[in-house]
Amino acid sequence: GSPDMENLSDIDSLDSSKGAADNRMLWKRDSWREGHETVHPKPMTQDVSFRPQEKRLAKLEDAYRTILQCVGEDPKRDGLLDTPSRAAKAILFLTKGYEENVDIVVKNAKFVEDYNSMVTVKDIEFYSLCEHHLIPFYGKIHIGYIPTGKVLGLSKLARISEMFTRRFQNQERIAKQIANAVVDAIRPSGVGVIVEGSHMCMSMRGVQKTGSTTITSTMLGTFLDDPRTRDEFLRMCTHT
C-alpha cells in the first residue's frame, strides 16, 4: 500500500518507493528538504504560559507606568490614570498568538476530499508589531496550496495567519511560518504564501516615507518546482 504520509521520517523511503506516491507529493522534492521546517507547538515559554493573567497584567502595568515616567509624563494625571491598565490589556491582545499553536488553531478542521487543484485564499487582512521597534505593520496575506487528499477549513488559513501575525514579528518570517504550518497540517503537494505589508517604522519614524509596500513570499514544493503552478498562484493573487 501507500506509505504513511503523516510521518516525515518516511521522506527517504518515499524517494525510493517507485510509483508508491503521486509524483506531485511535496515531500519527495528537494524543496521540501530545503524549505520546510516543522512548526513545533511551543506557544509560550513555560514561565509565562502558566503565570496567572492577573500577575502578567500587573507587571505590564508597572512597565507602562515606568515608560510614561521615562518620557517625562505624570502617570497620575487624569488622562493617564487608566492608561497602564488599558495598554497592558491591549499588548496581550496584540500578542495573543504566543498563546496558540497549529494544533489549537486547526483543531479537527481537516477534511478528506478528492480534490487536487489549487486552493487560494487571498486578501487576508493582518496587523502585527515589528520586533525591532514594537511599531505596527499591517497589510494582506495570500495563501495557496494543492491538496493531496485533505483540505483545510477555509477559515483556518485566516486563523493560522492571525496566530503568527499577533506576535512580535518581521515580515519575512511570517510568510515562512504560515507555509510551514499548512504543510504540517495537511501535507499538500505545494504551498505558496505572499505577504504585502506597510510598515509604520518606515513612515512615522526613521526614513519617514509613506506609501511604500513590502512584499515577501515563501514557495514550497510544486509552487517552487513548477513554474506553471507558481504562475497560476501569482495570477490568482493579482486578479481583481
Side-chain angles (χ1 to χ4, degrees), residues 3 17 28 72 74 77 92 101 121 126 136 148 178 185 206 235:
S17 297
K28 290 188 66 179
D74 177 10
R77 75 173 174 84
L92 285 183
N101 60 42
V121 177
F126 81 89
T148 57
I178 293 172
R235 285 197 304 271

Side-chain angles (χ1 to χ4, degrees), residues 26 36 86 203 226:
L26 172 60
H36 173 264
R86 288 192 293 261
S203 58
D226 186 349

Side-chain angles (χ1 to χ4, degrees), residues 205-226:
R205 59 159 298 282
V207 71
Q208 298 183 53
K209 299 299 181 184
T210 62
S212 64
T213 301
T214 300
I215 302 175
T216 56
S217 67
T218 293
M219 304 288 171
L220 297 177
T222 51
F223 282 66
L224 181 63
D225 299 329
D226 186 349

